[in-house]
Amino acid sequence: MPQYNPPIRDTRFVLDHVVGLQSRANLPGFENATADMVDAVLEEGGRFVAEVLFPLNQVGDQQGCTRHPDGSVTTPEGFKAAYDQLREAGWMTLGAPEQFGGQGMPHTVSTAFEEYMISANMAFAMYPGLTHGAIAALLAKGSDEQKALYVPRMVSGEWGGTMNLTEPHCGTDLGLIKTKAEPQGDGSYAITGTKIFISSGEHDLTDNIIHLVLAKTPGAPDSSKGISLFVVPKFLVNEDGSLGERNALSCGSIEHKMGIHGNSTCVMNYDGATGWLVGEEMKGLAAMFIMMNAARLGVGLQGLGVAEVAYQNAVQYAHDRRQGRALTGAKEPGEKADTLFVHPDVRRMLMEAKALTEGLRALCLWGAMQVDLSHKAQDEAERQLADDLIGLLTPVIKGYGTDKGYDIATAAQQVYGGHGYIAEWGMEQYVRDARIAQIYEGTNGVQAMDLVGRKLAQNGGRAVQAFFKLVGDEIAAAKGEEAVADFVGRLERALNELQAATMWFLQNGMKNPEHVGAGAHSYMHLMGIVATGLMWLRMARAASGLLAAGEGDAKFLNAKLVTARFYAERILPDAGALRRKIEGGAESIMALDPELFMAA
Amino acid sequence: MPQYNPPIRDTRFVLDHVVGLQSRANLPGFENATADMVDAVLEEGGRFVAEVLFPLNQVGDQQGCTRHPDGSVTTPEGFKAAYDQLREAGWMTLGAPEQFGGQGMPHTVSTAFEEYMISANMAFAMYPGLTHGAIAALLAKGSDEQKALYVPRMVSGEWGGTMNLTEPHCGTDLGLIKTKAEPQGDGSYAITGTKIFISSGEHDLTDNIIHLVLAKTPGAPDSSKGISLFVVPKFLVNEDGSLGERNALSCGSIEHKMGIHGNSTCVMNYDGATGWLVGEEMKGLAAMFIMMNAARLGVGLQGLGVAEVAYQNAVQYAHDRRQGRALTGAKEPGEKADTLFVHPDVRRMLMEAKALTEGLRALCLWGAMQVDLSHKAQDEAERQLADDLIGLLTPVIKGYGTDKGYDIATAAQQVYGGHGYIAEWGMEQYVRDARIAQIYEGTNGVQAMDLVGRKLAQNGGRAVQAFFKLVGDEIAAAKGEEAVADFVGRLERALNELQAATMWFLQNGMKNPEHVGAGAHSYMHLMGIVATGLMWLRMARAASGLLAAGEGDAKFLNAKLVTARFYAERILPDAGALRRKIEGGAESIMALDPELFMAA
C-alpha cells in the first residue's frame, strides 16, 4: 500500500545549486560524473530501488530473518534475488575505486543513490552499507595483500562485510572489550569472544562474509589503547581467492528488535577463529574510526531516507483522505468533506517534513562533497578545509539528522490518524526503523559529546571557526538580495545564537567540563539548525536567481522560496531556546544523588 | 526484566501540596477520602498493580489477543485471572457512585490509582478504562431504567463497556458516519454498520459487553447534527438483569497494531443488532463528548503513566550500567568504569523525564480535582470556574501530556543504548504503547484545534482569562519568596509569551482563521508548558515552605527545588520559540499547491 518515488528533481537541484557538482569536473573521478551520467544514475538507480527493493520492505519487516539450528541465517523472502539483481546491475560498485573493480564515481553521487536505497528498504540497504564500511577500513589500513585478497570481491558484492565492536557489557566504552586475539606464530591470530548487535552478521546473500573485529592482544593495555583490528573471514580465503575452510565463528542468535527486521542483527561467537591484524597492533581504535566516520554519515542519511519515504506517504494520504472542512469554508462543496490538505495543522507537519528532508538532503550531499574534496581537492588548504568541515559536521549530520528523521517519521504517521498505528499501512514501520538510527554507531548523546568534547577544540577550534566563516560569508554575500532578505536576517540571528553558545562553552568549560556536557545535545541541534539553514540559504538564493533569469520550473522554484520561509519562521526560532538551555549549565542536571531519582 | 514501583511519595506530595485534597473534606464524597484511606488506596492499589498487572505487561505485548473463527477473542495469558482479581479486590469501583455499587471516592483519588494501573500495564488498564467511559455516558444521558439495568454490573466489572465512533472512512469527522439505526416499533432500534478501532471491542474478561454506538436514524441530517447514541449490549439483558440472547453484532477482525497488543482493537460488525437510544435523538455528539472528555483526560494520564515506568527503568539502568568515565575524572576508580549517571547528557534525559513526569502528575491530579469541583463544589461560581479550567485544559493535558509521554519514553529507551532497541529489555514496548495516546480520542492536532478553535473563545474567553488570572495570581503571591525568585521570574516570562500569543490570535484570527489553525499545535504546547510550570511553582513553594519549617524529608524536598530549577532552565525557554512560531502565521504553511508536495 505504501509508495516511493525517488526525489530525483530535488537531488539534481541540490547537486547543481548547493553542491556544485558540475563545477568540480577537474577533480579525479569527477570527470566521469557528467550531467548525463548523473542523470542516468539517479533515474535508473531510482527506478531499480523503487521497483525491486521497495516492494520487499514490508515483507521484510513482517518475516524478519531466521536463524536455523546449524547457525545459518536466511533473509526474508525475495532479499536474495533482489541482492543478486543489485549486484549484477552494478549498483554496489558506484563509488568504489576503479582499481578494485569499482566505477570510481564521486562519493557525492553514490550518496545520492544510497539515499534512495535507504528510502526503499532501509533494512536491505544495510547489507551493502556495512560492506562499504568494511571496504573503507581495509583500503585505509589493510596491507596490499589484504586489499588484493578481500576488496575486489567485496566491491562486486560477492562477499559481504561487517563491523564487530560491541560486546554484551560495552558499546560506547570500547576500552572494556574482552575479546582476545592470540598470535598463532604464523602471522595469524586466534580470535575468541562474543560480539553483539552485529548488523548483517550472518545471512544468505553472499558467499563469504568478511568480519572486521576489535580484540585485545596478549599484554595489551586493558583500555581503548590496547585494541587492535582484525579481519576474520567466515570462510578462509585461499591465495587464489577461492574459499577455503569454514572459520571458527558463528551466529549464536538473532536479536528481536523494534525494527529493521529485514536485517540480521546477530550475536557472533568467535571460538578461536583465525584472523589477521589490520594495520598496526593497538591502533585498532583509529582504524575503527575510519569505518565509524563513514558509517555515521551513512546513518545520518538513514534519518533522511526513512523520513523521505514516510513524508511522501503522508502527502499522498493527506491528498486522498477526506475529513472535515477548511477553516475558511468548504474547498470542495461537491464532496462530503475536504481533503486533509486543507487543515493548517496537517500542513504544518507536512511543511516541517518538507523543509527538513530537503534541507537534510542538501546537507548530506554537501557533506559527501566535503568527503570527496578532503581526498581529491587539488590544493592542500582546500583538502584541509573540507576535512575540517566534515569532521565537525559528521556528528551533527548523524545526531541532528536522525533525531529529525525520527520526528518526521512520527509526524508522517500522525497524519494518518488511527490508520497510522495499524501495521498494514506501513507507517509505523518507518517509525520503528528510523528509531535505531538515533542509537547505533554511537548514540546521539555520544555524537553530541564528540562534537563538543573533541571536534570543537581540535586544532585550536580551526574547524568551528571555518564553519562560522563559511556561514557568515554566505550571509554577508546575500545581504543585498531582496528575495532572501528576511531569511538572511533570521539565519544571522541563529548563527549569533550558535556563536554565543560556543563562547559560553569556552568561558565555562574550563571551570567545569560538565557545563559543556550538559549543553552538548542542545548544541548539536543548534549547529544542525544553522547548518541546515545554510543549505536553505543556498537553495533560496539559487531559486530566486533562476526565477529572475526565467530559468527552470517556476513552480518548483517558488516552492523552494516558500519552504525556505517556513524554515525561517518555524525552525530557526528554536535556536534561541537552545542557546538559553545551554546557558542553564550543569548545576541542576548534576545536583541530585542517583538515589533521589530512584524513589519518587 | 523491567520493574515498576508506584511513586506513592510523589502522589501524596501532590495530593497534599498541589491539589489540597485534605482541605476539601467538606465536599460530598471527600469525607471518605481521609489521609489514612488515601494512603491505603495508594499503597495497596500500588502493590496490586505492581504484583499482579505489571508481570503481564510484556507477555501481553508478545502474545497479543487472538480472534477465533467463531468471532470470540481471548486476551493474553493471565489477563482473565488478573481481571478477576482486580474486580474482586474492588479496584474498579473506587470512583463510581455509591448508589450503583461504587465506593464514591473523589475522582482525584481514583485518578491517582489509575496512573499506577496504566504504568503497570497500559493495554490491560484500557479494559476497565473503556468501561468507566461508558458508565459516565450512561450516567449522564441514560434513562433511569438504562442506568439501573446496565450500570451496577459495569461498576462491579462483571460487564465491560466500549465506545463505537470510528468507521473506516471517518474518525475525526463523525458527520460522515454511515451506521444506521432503524426504529423497530417497540422502542428498540436495529443497528447496522461497521465500526473500526474499537478498543476492548470483544474479549473474554467479562460476561457481557455494553457497546455505546453512534448511528444515524432515518431522515436525520447527514452531518454531525444527525448522530444519535445507542446502547447495544453483546447479550441482551432481561429485566431481572440476567443475560438473554446474543445480539447481532460481532468482532470481524483484530487490528495488527504498533503497540498495546494486549488490548483487543476490533473491527465490529453490527448486523441489525438491537439497541436503544441513549438520551435524545440527534443529540449523540453531545452525549459522546461526555465520554470523550473523560476519555481525553484518561489518555493524558496514559502519557504520564507510560512515561513514568519508562523513566523508572532508565534510572535503574543508568545506575547499573557502567560505561566511560565522568568528565571531571573517575568517580569510582576501583571499578573499570563509572555508571551512566556520571554523564551529563544521560542526566539531561533523566532530569527532563523527572521534571515532566512529576509536573504532569501534578497537572493530571489537579485536573481531576477540577472535575470533582465542577460537580461538587458548594457554590456555583466555584463549580463554574473548575468547569471552565478543566474544559480549557483537557486538550492540553491530552495533547501536551501524550506528546511529552512519547518523548520521555523515547528518551528512556535512548538511555539504554543498543539494548533499548531489543525487545526483551522492554523499553521499546513503552515507546510503541505510548505512541497511540497521541493519536486516539482525537489526534493531538484535533486537541490543538479544540483548544484554539473552541475553548479559547467560549463564553467570551472566560476560561482562558480565568487561567491567566490563576497563574498570574500565584506568580504575584510568590514574588517575595527568595527560594523561588528565579523560577517565578522565568514562569512570568513564559506566561507573557502565552498571553502575547493569545493576543496575536485575537488580532489575526478574525482576518484569517488559518492563522489560528497554523499556530494551534505550538499554542497547545505553550499552554502545556505554562500549566505544568504552575504545578512546579506550587511544588517549589511547598517544598521551600516545608524545608523552612523543618518538616518532611529534606532530601526529597531539595530534589523538588532542584527539579523546579531544571524545569525553569531547560523547559520554560521553549515558550519564547513557540510564540515566535505562532507569530509566523499561516502564509508559508498554506501557500503551496498539494501537487508541489507530491513530486520533489
Side-chain angles (χ1 to χ4, degrees):
Chain A
M1 207 148 16
Q3 52 175 14
Y4 173 62
N5 294 301
I8 292 172
R9 183 163 60 168
D10 200 55
T11 304
R12 215 180 261 147
F13 178 80
V14 169
L15 291 178
D16 290 345
H17 300 293
V18 174
V19 171
L21 181 66
Q22 295 315 317
S23 67
R24 299 294 186 173
N26 58 332
L27 300 184
F30 281 65
E31 67 279 0
N32 301 331
T34 60
D36 285 353
M37 185 52 157
V38 172
D39 283 356
V41 167
L42 299 181
E43 273 163 34
E44 287 169 34
R47 188 179 313 123
F48 178 85
V49 302
E51 289 175 2
V52 177
L53 303 185
F54 184 63
L56 301 175
N57 189 51
Q58 273 188 293
V59 77
D61 183 62
Q62 285 151 14
Q63 289 185 3
C65 295
T66 310
R67 179 184 175 278
H68 303 284
D70 66 355
S72 67
V73 170
T74 45
T75 50
E77 227 174 289
F79 271 43
K80 170 71 174 142
Y83 183 83
D84 290 343
Q85 280 184 268
L86 181 80
R87 205 161 56 71
E88 283 156 23
W91 293 116
M92 284 192 65
T93 68
L94 271 183
E98 286 169 295
Q99 66 181 117
F100 294 104
Q103 298 179 52
M105 291 282 271
H107 185 59
T108 311
V109 176
S110 62
T111 298
F113 170 72
E114 226 176 290
E115 181 210 316
Y116 298 174
M117 184 156 58
I118 293 162
S119 289
N121 196 325
M122 172 168 159
F124 181 97
M126 290 173 68
Y127 294 103
L130 268 294
T131 304
H132 288 145
I135 291 171
L138 285 170
L139 288 180
K141 297 289 174 178
S143 65
D144 289 343
E145 211 184 336
Q146 288 170 338
K147 290 181 203 175
L149 198 59
Y150 299 114
V151 172
R153 285 189 172 78
M154 295 170 77
V155 166
S156 73
E158 284 170 86
W159 299 349
T162 72
M163 298 164 58
N164 287 242
L165 284 57
T166 305
E167 300 186 3
H169 60 288
C170 69
T172 300
D173 189 353
L174 289 168
L176 302 176
I177 67 169
K178 292 177 179 167
T179 298
K180 295 267 170 270
E182 294 276 347
Q184 300 299 292
D186 61 354
S188 74
Y189 290 76
I191 312 291
T192 304
T194 301
K195 296 286 181 177
I196 64 169
F197 303 158
I198 307 308
S199 299
S200 319
E202 176 59 49
H203 55 76
D204 57 356
L205 301 184
T206 57
D207 297 337
N208 200 3
I209 301 176
I210 311 304
H211 300 288
L212 293 177
V213 183
L214 291 183
K216 283 178 181 162
T217 46
D222 195 14
S223 72
S224 64
K225 297 196 176 89
I227 299 174
S228 303
L229 181 66
F230 297 87
V231 56
V232 191
K234 174 178 167 185
F235 289 98
L236 301 182
V237 179
N238 301 318
E239 274 179 35
D240 64 358
S242 63
L243 296 186
E245 60 177 311
R246 182 71 158 79
N247 209 343
L249 61 91
S250 61
C251 164
S253 63
I254 300 188
E255 304 285 3
H256 298 98
K257 311 185 297 288
M258 187 182 192
I260 49 166
H261 295 161
N263 195 271
S264 58
T265 306
C266 299
V267 174
M268 295 300 296
N269 298 318
Y270 292 86
D271 303 306
T274 303
W276 290 269
L277 190 62
V278 178
E280 287 176 61
E281 201 181 335
M282 297 188 267
K283 294 280 165 65
L285 214 57
M288 183 214 55
F289 262 105
I290 290 168
M291 281 193 287
M292 287 290 277
N293 279 328
R296 285 172 177 185
L297 289 173
V299 174
L301 202 62
Q302 290 181 333
L304 164 61
V306 180
E308 169 67 28
V309 65
Y311 160 69
Q312 285 189 15
N313 282 282
V315 166
Q316 188 63 48
Y317 191 79
H319 185 258
D320 294 342
R321 175 87 168 172
R322 293 181 177 277
Q323 207 78 178
R325 287 296 185 190
L327 292 171
T328 49
K331 277 271 190 310
E332 295 178 83
E335 300 281 349
K336 292 195 73 173
D338 291 334
T339 71
L340 294 187
F341 249 108
V342 306
H343 300 301
D345 190 61
V346 171
R347 286 217 181 219
R348 170 190 62 84
M349 294 188 277
L350 296 178
M351 283 300 298
E352 210 161 294
K354 185 173 169 60
L356 286 168
T357 50
E358 293 179 13
L360 289 172
R361 176 171 303 114
L363 189 61
C364 286
L365 292 175
W366 173 86
M369 176 59 93
Q370 304 314 305
V371 173
D372 278 323
L373 290 175
S374 72
H375 297 302
K376 297 177 177 173
Q378 274 153 337
D379 75 87
E380 172 56 24
E382 203 180 354
R383 285 196 296 275
Q384 187 187 81
L385 174 64
D387 195 54
D388 282 352
L389 288 173
I390 194 59
L392 180 75
L393 287 168
T394 292
V396 175
I397 290 172
K398 197 280 188 185
Y400 180 71
T402 61
D403 280 354
K404 290 296 138 185
Y406 181 66
D407 289 349
I408 294 163
T410 299
Q413 180 191 23
Q414 189 76 13
V415 171
Y416 278 66
H419 297 278
Y421 202 66
I422 306 299
E424 65 176 314
W425 288 88
M427 299 306 287
E428 57 94 36
Q429 183 191 345
Y430 295 132
V431 175
R432 290 185 287 103
D433 286 354
R435 183 70 185 91
I436 188 60
Q438 300 171 286
I439 296 173
Y440 62 14
E441 301 304 337
T443 64
N444 287 356
V446 169
Q447 304 303 319
M449 288 308 298
D450 178 48
L451 175 63
V452 303
R454 294 182 60 239
K455 301 295 174 64
L456 278 190
Q458 264 174 357
N459 305 308
R462 194 176 68 201
V464 72
Q465 283 162 25
F467 178 69
F468 290 159
K469 181 169 173 355
L470 176 72
V471 184
D473 285 353
E474 294 198 26
I475 286 173
K479 273 212 168 146
E481 299 170 19
E482 206 182 323
V484 296
D486 184 68
F487 187 94
V488 166
R490 289 173 188 259
L491 180 61
E492 189 168 32
R493 282 205 289 284
L495 176 63
N496 290 342
E497 306 286 12
L498 177 64
Q499 288 173 321
T502 312
M503 192 57 70
W504 193 91
F505 278 161
L506 268 175
Q507 287 164 346
N508 294 276
M510 295 291 276
K511 276 183 279 182
N512 180 0
E514 288 174 342
H515 281 316
V516 179
H521 194 268
S522 292
Y523 187 87
M524 178 176 76
H525 274 245
L526 180 45
M527 189 171 278
I529 286 171
V530 171
T532 311
L534 174 65
M535 298 299 117
W536 271 111
L537 175 59
R538 289 188 180 185
M539 290 195 277
R541 290 179 78 191
S544 77
L546 288 165
L547 281 168
E551 289 170 29
D553 175 343
K555 281 188 173 181
F556 174 81
L557 297 170
N558 270 315
K560 282 285 174 201
L561 290 173
V562 168
T563 311
R565 178 176 169 190
F566 177 90
Y567 189 88
E569 290 172 348
R570 297 274 173 166
I571 293 173
L572 288 179
D574 283 325
L578 289 165
R579 172 193 166 180
R580 278 193 290 283
K581 291 178 192 191
I582 290 164
E583 292 177 352
E587 282 163 31
S588 68
I589 286 182
M590 302 307 290
L592 296 183
D593 279 346
E595 64 175 90
L596 288 168
F597 289 82
M598 300 183 80
Chain B
M1 206 150 13
Q3 51 174 16
Y4 173 63
N5 295 301
I8 293 171
R9 181 164 60 168
D10 199 57
T11 304
R12 214 180 259 147
F13 177 80
V14 168
L15 291 177
D16 290 346
H17 301 293
V18 174
V19 171
L21 181 66
Q22 295 314 314
S23 66
R24 300 292 186 172
N26 58 332
L27 300 184
F30 280 66
E31 67 279 359
N32 301 330
T34 60
D36 285 354
M37 184 52 156
V38 172
D39 284 355
V41 167
L42 298 181
E43 273 163 32
E44 288 169 34
R47 189 179 313 123
F48 178 85
V49 302
E51 289 176 1
V52 177
L53 303 185
F54 184 65
L56 301 175
N57 189 51
Q58 272 188 292
V59 76
D61 183 62
Q62 286 150 14
Q63 289 187 3
C65 295
T66 310
R67 179 183 175 278
H68 304 285
D70 66 355
S72 67
V73 170
T74 46
T75 51
E77 227 174 291
F79 270 42
K80 170 73 175 139
Y83 183 84
D84 289 344
Q85 278 184 269
L86 180 81
R87 205 160 56 72
E88 282 155 22
W91 292 116
M92 282 194 65
T93 69
L94 270 184
E98 286 168 295
Q99 65 179 117
F100 294 103
Q103 298 179 55
M105 292 282 271
H107 185 59
T108 311
V109 176
S110 63
T111 297
F113 170 71
E114 226 176 291
E115 180 208 315
Y116 299 174
M117 185 157 57
I118 293 163
S119 288
N121 196 324
M122 173 169 158
F124 181 96
M126 290 173 68
Y127 294 103
L130 269 294
T131 305
H132 288 145
I135 291 171
L138 286 170
L139 288 179
K141 296 289 175 180
S143 65
D144 288 346
E145 212 184 335
Q146 287 170 339
K147 289 181 202 173
L149 198 61
Y150 299 114
V151 172
R153 285 189 173 79
M154 294 170 78
V155 166
S156 73
E158 283 169 87
W159 299 348
T162 72
M163 299 164 58
N164 288 241
L165 284 57
T166 304
E167 300 186 3
H169 59 289
C170 68
T172 300
D173 188 354
L174 290 168
L176 302 177
I177 67 169
K178 293 176 179 167
T179 298
K180 296 267 169 269
E182 293 276 348
Q184 300 300 290
D186 62 353
S188 75
Y189 290 75
I191 312 291
T192 303
T194 301
K195 296 287 181 177
I196 65 168
F197 303 159
I198 307 309
S199 299
S200 318
E202 176 59 49
H203 56 76
D204 57 355
L205 301 183
T206 58
D207 298 335
N208 201 2
I209 301 175
I210 311 303
H211 300 288
L212 293 176
V213 182
L214 291 185
K216 283 177 182 163
T217 47
D222 195 16
S223 73
S224 64
K225 295 194 177 93
I227 300 173
S228 303
L229 181 67
F230 297 88
V231 56
V232 191
K234 174 178 168 185
F235 289 98
L236 300 182
V237 180
N238 300 317
E239 275 180 31
D240 64 357
S242 64
L243 296 185
E245 59 176 314
R246 183 70 157 79
N247 209 344
L249 61 91
S250 62
C251 163
S253 63
I254 301 187
E255 304 286 4
H256 299 99
K257 310 184 299 287
M258 185 182 193
I260 51 165
H261 295 162
N263 194 272
S264 58
T265 306
C266 299
V267 174
M268 295 300 295
N269 297 318
Y270 292 87
D271 304 306
T274 304
W276 290 269
L277 191 63
V278 178
E280 289 176 60
E281 201 182 334
M282 297 189 267
K283 293 283 168 62
L285 214 59
M288 182 215 55
F289 262 106
I290 290 168
M291 281 193 287
M292 287 290 278
N293 279 327
R296 285 172 176 185
L297 289 171
V299 174
L301 201 63
Q302 289 180 333
L304 165 61
V306 179
E308 170 68 27
V309 66
Y311 160 69
Q312 285 188 16
N313 282 283
V315 166
Q316 188 63 48
Y317 190 79
H319 186 258
D320 295 344
R321 174 87 169 175
R322 292 182 178 277
Q323 206 78 179
R325 289 296 185 190
L327 292 170
T328 50
K331 278 272 190 308
E332 295 176 84
E335 301 281 349
K336 293 196 72 175
D338 291 334
T339 71
L340 294 187
F341 250 109
V342 306
H343 301 301
D345 189 62
V346 171
R347 287 220 180 217
R348 169 190 63 84
M349 294 188 276
L350 297 177
M351 282 301 296
E352 210 161 294
K354 185 174 170 62
L356 285 168
T357 51
E358 293 179 13
L360 289 173
R361 177 171 301 113
L363 189 61
C364 287
L365 292 174
W366 174 87
M369 177 60 92
Q370 304 314 306
V371 173
D372 278 324
L373 291 174
S374 72
H375 297 302
K376 297 178 176 172
Q378 274 153 337
D379 75 87
E380 172 56 22
E382 203 180 354
R383 284 197 297 275
Q384 187 187 81
L385 174 65
D387 195 52
D388 283 349
L389 289 172
I390 195 60
L392 180 74
L393 287 167
T394 292
V396 175
I397 291 172
K398 197 281 188 185
Y400 180 70
T402 62
D403 280 352
K404 291 296 137 185
Y406 181 66
D407 289 348
I408 295 164
T410 299
Q413 180 192 22
Q414 190 75 14
V415 171
Y416 277 67
H419 296 280
Y421 202 67
I422 307 298
E424 64 177 315
W425 288 88
M427 299 307 286
E428 56 94 37
Q429 183 191 344
Y430 295 132
V431 175
R432 290 185 288 103
D433 286 355
R435 183 70 185 90
I436 189 58
Q438 301 172 283
I439 296 173
Y440 62 16
E441 302 303 338
T443 65
N444 286 356
V446 169
Q447 303 302 319
M449 287 309 299
D450 179 48
L451 174 63
V452 302
R454 293 181 62 239
K455 301 296 174 60
L456 278 191
Q458 264 174 357
N459 306 307
R462 194 176 69 201
V464 72
Q465 283 161 24
F467 178 68
F468 291 159
K469 181 169 171 0
L470 177 74
V471 184
D473 284 355
E474 294 199 27
I475 286 172
K479 275 214 167 147
E481 298 170 20
E482 205 182 324
V484 295
D486 183 67
F487 187 94
V488 166
R490 290 173 187 257
L491 180 61
E492 189 169 31
R493 281 204 290 283
L495 176 62
N496 290 343
E497 306 285 13
L498 177 63
Q499 288 174 319
T502 313
M503 191 58 68
W504 193 90
F505 278 160
L506 268 175
Q507 287 164 344
N508 295 277
M510 295 289 276
K511 274 183 280 181
N512 179 1
E514 288 175 342
H515 280 317
V516 179
H521 194 267
S522 292
Y523 188 87
M524 177 176 77
H525 274 246
L526 179 45
M527 189 173 276
I529 286 171
V530 170
T532 311
L534 174 66
M535 298 299 117
W536 270 111
L537 175 59
R538 289 189 180 184
M539 290 196 277
R541 291 179 78 192
S544 77
L546 289 164
L547 281 166
E551 289 170 29
D553 176 342
K555 282 189 175 180
F556 174 81
L557 296 171
N558 272 315
K560 282 284 176 201
L561 289 173
V562 168
T563 310
R565 178 176 168 190
F566 177 90
Y567 189 87
E569 290 172 348
R570 297 274 173 164
I571 294 173
L572 287 179
D574 283 325
L578 289 165
R579 172 193 166 179
R580 277 192 291 283
K581 292 178 192 190
I582 290 164
E583 292 177 352
E587 282 163 31
S588 69
I589 287 183
M590 302 307 290
L592 296 183
D593 279 346
E595 64 175 272
L596 288 168
F597 290 83
M598 300 181 80

